[in-house]
Amino acid sequence: MCIAAWIWQSHPVYQLLLLLNRDEYHSRPTKPVEWWGEGEENILGGRDELAGGTWLGCTRDGRLAFLTNVREASPHPNAKSRGELPLRFLENKQSPLACATEIAKEADKYNGFNLVLTDLCSKSMVYISNRPKGEPVIQIVPPGLHVLSNAKLDAPWPKVQRLDKNFGEFLRRHGEGEIPLELMVQELMTNSDKADRALLPDTGCNPDWEYELSPIFVDIDTKLGRYGTRSIAAISVKQCGEVSFHERYIESCMWKEHLIQFGIEKVL
């Protein structure tokens, strides 16, 4: 289901600091974060080998996109794959707003999604969601700290409020200097505390399922196999254009991690 938190245009060192947990069945075939694609369309991100899309990716010319699902009781089994939505932005030259406007025209072909599109060079970030049905929401994301789970941007779910509070405190503790991505991942994205049942959102799903999905870091044994957080990504983009992409991920039942760095080709 995923959860993401980021600080945007509000730090003296970083234009963007982004954290994202990807929740999925552990058996779903997935490629870890790497460069893929050809020529100018080269993308850095993980890949869903089943449907071919991604949940988080960026490019050398400063385009970045990430996705979370909107939790709903009865998703349509024949809907288009949401993982193709970030690619629509990463593989073309449209602005975030123009791309979001195009996606909104066919938003009903997908199950519920939240999508954030960012052009780091033009310092523009746009959020789009296709829920509620028939009323796509497009919003310019203002500077500051934001958290996105499986409802609207900054919706006050317990896990969202917990991560927002913890991230804010983390940033205050570390002041205005550089921040190790591995430390952010460990301190902010591995919290497995479940929410008070009385505070859980009503999404139409089984209350027990809501309870199991209520931590920031999810780990559930189901009849279909292990489900939960199988990768944790942290991205920093310095004001000078230096990008660091750290991923901690499960492969062959073991946690691994790696770091990829590059420079944005355009001046920020």
Side-chain angles (χ1 to χ4, degrees):
M1 291 290 186
C2 306
I3 185 168
W6 65 97
I7 182 167
W8 169 240
Q9 301 292 343
S10 300
H11 193 282
V13 176
Y14 301 101
Q15 183 180 174
L16 174 69
L17 281 170
L18 169 67
L19 295 159
L20 188 147
N21 278 5
R22 182 199 181 208
D23 300 336
E24 184 54 87
Y25 283 99
H26 289 205
S27 60
R28 190 174 178 110
T30 299
K31 289 277 191 182
V33 169
E34 61 184 2
W35 287 105
W36 47 287
E38 298 180 358
E40 294 182 357
E41 311 307 330
N42 218 222
I43 293 168
L44 179 62
R47 278 183 290 173
D48 174 21
E49 292 190 275
L50 198 61
T54 189
W55 55 97
L56 167 63
C58 56
T59 66
R60 287 189 173 91
D61 63 354
R63 302 170 77 78
L64 183 147
F66 59 93
L67 175 80
T68 73
N69 295 346
V70 174
R71 192 175 306 154
E72 46 197 350
S74 302
H76 197 287
N78 297 319
K80 296 179 70 172
S81 171
R82 289 167 285 202
E84 71 178 39
L85 293 170
L87 298 184
R88 290 182 58 167
F89 177 68
L90 297 172
E91 292 176 343
N92 68 48
K93 302 299 181 183
Q94 286 182 301
S95 70
L97 184 57
C99 186
T101 302
E102 288 297 312
I103 289 171
K105 295 175 182 178
E106 51 185 280
D108 59 345
K109 296 180 180 179
Y110 300 87
N111 286 319
F113 69 81
N114 295 306
L115 179 64
V116 176
L117 308 175
T118 307
D119 185 331
L120 295 160
C121 295
S122 65
K123 299 183 179 181
S124 58
M125 178 180 285
V126 172
Y127 162 76
I128 175 173
S129 177
N130 66 342
R131 293 295 183 268
K133 291 182 179 180
E135 301 177 27
V137 174
I138 298 177
Q139 173 186 337
I140 304 297
V141 180
L145 175 58
H146 301 279
V147 184
L148 179 64
S149 183
N150 308 114
K152 297 236 178 266
L153 179 63
D154 296 319
W157 283 16
K159 66 194 300 181
V160 169
Q161 293 176 321
R162 180 183 296 121
L163 185 51
D164 181 89
K165 176 176 179 291
N166 293 347
F167 200 176
E169 291 176 350
F170 180 93
L171 291 169
R172 285 189 288 274
R173 285 200 312 272
H174 289 272
E176 298 183 349
E178 294 192 15
I179 298 173
L181 296 185
E182 298 90 337
L183 183 63
M184 281 207 310
V185 164
Q186 183 60 38
E187 289 198 18
L188 300 177
M189 305 306 286
T190 61
N191 186 301
S192 58
D193 294 341
K194 292 183 173 68
D196 185 327
R197 285 181 178 270
L199 300 177
L200 293 174
D202 181 8
T203 64
C205 294
N206 183 295
D208 290 335
W209 184 240
E210 291 282 5
Y211 180 69
E212 294 295 335
L213 294 174
S214 65
I216 294 167
F217 184 95
V218 176
D219 188 18
I220 312 169
D221 281 320
T222 77
K223 294 179 180 179
L224 299 176
R226 193 88 169 270
Y227 178 90
T229 303
R230 56 176 295 179
S231 72
I232 308 173
I235 296 177
S236 67
V237 183
K238 290 185 176 180
Q239 300 290 355
C240 64
E242 179 184 303
V243 180
S244 296
F245 196 141
H246 174 269
E247 184 189 31
R248 184 184 295 184
Y249 62 100
I250 291 177
E251 185 175 87
S252 301
C253 301
M254 295 180 60
W255 281 97
K256 301 181 179 182
E257 57 186 332
H258 61 173
L259 175 69
I260 299 174
Q261 295 178 303
F262 68 97
I264 294 176
E265 294 176 348
K266 296 179 182 178
V267 178
L268 297 182

